Amino acid sequence: LSSQISGSKPVVKGVRELILNARINSSEARPGIIFAHGYLGSRFDFLHVAEELASRGFVVAAPDLPESLSDSFTPNPDTSRPAIIQSVRALLRDQLKVCNEFGIMGHSAGGGSATMEESDYPLGRCAVAGFRGYAKDDPLLIVASKGDNVIPFNLLVENIPVDCKRYYGTAGTEAIVDDFEKGKGSRRTALLLGASGPELRPEESGAPAPNHISFLSEQTNNALVSFLSPLLPVARAINVRVLDFDVYQQNRDSRRTAQLYIPAVVAFFEAQRQELLPPDSKV
């Protein structure tokens, strides 16, 4: 599966290779963002988001976590989600010259990791298609969709903090970007796709709302569907939920979904980076 997702590019297999392949100006400390994939996900899931953030000067790390489809671990205290994330923080800080300004982003179960991690993340926490509540002070961005058949949309919305500014539907991303660029963005923000307003009625956009895995990169989803396609008809016949892979096989909407939410994610992290700059350095 790893080779299907990565194509002809070499797959990074360890810390040593990661260090050799990373091109970081050691004289300039940069902010770092860690991506936490979901259950049966992989380090490739948000490669399109990682590339966009990296192009803006962030150092992005996407480790394989215990439930990954692209690697395997012997269960022990050093291979738990929290332990791996903390090890990545240490790697970025100590060997890749990342400053202590960290952000974290996760999909599905990784969204829970993003909001429940104990360390401080002054660059913010972003939970996509997975949110378990939040009790910390770091900036927060929640992205969810009414078309998600894995995480109940209404239950997720009920757990959004009351001080979270909510944006709805396809117009929500543009509004978020505009607000952050004008300095009016909220430290706690939610983008609720597929919903037309606070009543959460379905948005009439002419296209299905993103499903649970629509948020993953097109390259990753196509590889996963190819890998799982022999099983999907059987799963449908016996009514087994397959994390929306069957829905994605019909809609193939990763690219459209990326256009809906990635600009909001970038604007969120960019705004928090600006807030952390010295007053005389802000753009």
Side-chain angles (χ1 to χ4, degrees):
L1 181 61
S2 295
S3 61
Q4 289 188 50
I5 297 172
S6 60
S8 60
K9 297 178 181 179
V11 177
V12 175
K13 277 294 182 185
V15 169
R16 183 175 300 276
E17 289 181 274
L18 175 62
I19 294 173
L20 292 175
N21 288 333
R23 295 178 180 178
I24 305 295
N25 183 350
S26 61
S27 66
E28 181 182 352
R30 296 179 182 273
I33 297 175
I34 298 170
F35 170 72
H37 65 71
Y39 182 68
L40 299 182
S42 78
R43 62 188 180 272
F44 303 105
D45 283 359
F46 270 28
L47 62 88
H48 55 333
V49 185
E51 289 173 348
E52 184 63 31
L53 288 167
S55 74
R56 307 298 183 101
F58 296 95
V59 179
V60 186
D64 274 319
L65 298 170
E67 312 88 355
S68 172
L69 276 178
S70 62
D71 215 326
S72 60
F73 298 88
T74 301
N76 64 65
D78 294 328
T79 59
S80 66
R81 276 179 172 260
I84 292 172
I85 290 171
Q86 288 302 311
S87 293
V88 171
R89 278 181 64 114
L91 169 70
L92 294 179
R93 182 184 61 246
D94 299 339
Q95 300 192 45
L96 294 184
K97 308 302 181 184
V98 169
C99 59
N100 281 321
E101 295 172 359
F102 282 97
I104 186 168
M105 178 179 183
H107 173 259
S108 192
S113 297
T115 53
M116 298 173 70
E117 257 293 296
E118 289 298 324
S119 299
D120 292 332
Y121 288 89
L123 270 181
R125 301 168 185 252
C126 177
V128 179
F131 179 68
R132 302 178 183 177
Y134 185 63
K136 298 194 178 289
D137 296 325
D138 296 324
L140 173 68
L141 173 64
I142 301 165
V143 181
S145 173
K146 200 173 179 66
D148 191 329
N149 298 294
V150 177
I151 306 297
F153 181 71
N154 288 343
L155 179 62
L156 185 148
V157 171
E158 289 175 4
N159 287 323
I160 294 176
V162 294
D163 61 345
C164 210
K165 187 173 181 179
R166 304 181 185 198
Y167 297 79
Y168 300 94
T170 54
T173 289
E174 185 176 346
I176 288 175
V177 172
D178 188 59
D179 280 353
F180 277 123
E181 287 182 347
K182 293 179 178 178
K184 300 189 300 182
S186 172
R187 278 175 55 85
R188 298 192 177 192
T189 301
L191 174 60
L192 305 176
L193 298 171
S196 59
E199 302 82 9
L200 302 181
R201 295 191 183 94
E203 181 184 24
E204 297 179 3
S205 64
N211 63 69
H212 192 65
I213 65 164
S214 299
F215 296 97
L216 308 188
S217 75
E218 183 177 44
Q219 187 179 2
T220 300
N221 270 338
N222 288 346
L224 288 169
V225 168
S226 174
F227 181 72
L228 295 171
S229 58
L231 304 175
L232 294 179
V234 177
R236 290 194 198 98
I238 61 177
N239 199 30
V240 172
R241 298 172 64 186
V242 286
L243 300 177
D244 274 350
F245 285 109
D246 53 340
V247 181
Y248 180 79
Q249 188 181 39
Q250 297 175 9
N251 295 340
R252 302 279 181 162
D253 59 346
S254 282
R255 188 171 299 184
R256 175 179 178 273
T257 302
Q259 295 171 348
L260 289 176
Y261 85 97
I262 292 180
V265 171
V266 172
F268 169 74
F269 283 122
E270 285 275 21
Q272 310 319 316
R273 176 165 63 176
Q274 287 294 318
E275 284 296 315
L276 294 172
L277 291 175
D280 58 349
S281 300
K282 293 184 178 181
V283 177

